[in-house]
Amino acid sequence: QVQLVESGGGLVQPGGSLRLSCAASGFTFSSSAMNWYRQAPEKGRELVAAITSDGANSIYDDSVEGRFIISRDNANDTLYLQMNSLRPEDTAVYFCNAPRRRPELPRGAWGQGTQVTVSS
C-alpha cells in the first residue's frame, strides 16, 4: 500500500524556521521524483518545490526561492522541506506528493497534509 505521511508542521513566528518530513512506503522511493505542494485557505494547491529521484536537482516556486530547501534521504525513504525566514503568506497546509509513474504509481500519491501557520 502506497503511503506518504507528513510531519513537522506547527505554529511559528514570522522569520522562524520549520522542517517538514514525509515518510514514504509502498513504492520504490529512490526511483521517484518528489514534490511539495501547499494550499492556503480559499486558494488552489500550488507547487512549492520539486526534487529529482537522485536528489541532484531541485526547483522552487519564486515565492520560496532562497528560503526553502527540498532534500531527500533515499536510504530512509524520507523527503524533507526546510523552511527558513517564514512569512505569514507561507501559512498553508503542506502536502507531499509522488507524481504518476508507471507501474508503481499509476495515479501518483498524496499525503494527508501538515498545517503550517506563520503568525505572531
Side-chain angles (χ1 to χ4, degrees), residues 78-107:
T78 304
L79 179 71
Y80 300 101
L81 185 67
Q82 177 67 43
M83 304 187 296
N84 302 319
S85 302
L86 282 161
R87 304 167 179 170
E89 54 263 39
D90 295 318
T91 296
V93 179
Y94 284 72
F95 297 91
C96 173
N97 165 255
R100 285 181 292 178
R101 179 177 61 82
R102 295 184 183 276
E104 285 189 307
L105 298 166
R107 300 181 188 84

Side-chain angles (χ1 to χ4, degrees), residues 10-99:
L11 173 64
V12 62
Q13 292 187 340
S17 297
L18 281 175
R19 189 174 82 153
L20 305 184
S21 299
C22 171
S25 60
F27 65 102
T28 309
F29 180 76
S30 60
S31 296
S32 291
M34 294 294 295
N35 305 313
W36 283 102
Y37 282 78
R38 68 185 178 187
Q39 186 165 15
E42 301 182 1
K43 291 190 177 181
R45 196 169 291 190
E46 64 176 2
L47 179 64
V48 174
I51 190 167
T52 53
S53 59
D54 62 358
N57 294 288
S58 56
I59 59 170
Y60 299 90
D61 183 79
D62 288 346
S63 65
V64 307
E65 181 81 54
R67 299 188 297 122
F68 290 11
I69 301 171
I70 187 171
S71 63
R72 63 192 298 157
D73 179 351
N74 283 349
N76 290 294
D77 293 352
T78 304
L79 179 71
Y80 300 101
L81 185 67
Q82 177 67 43
M83 304 187 296
N84 302 319
S85 302
L86 282 161
R87 304 167 179 170
E89 54 263 39
D90 295 318
T91 296
V93 179
Y94 284 72
F95 297 91
C96 173
N97 165 255

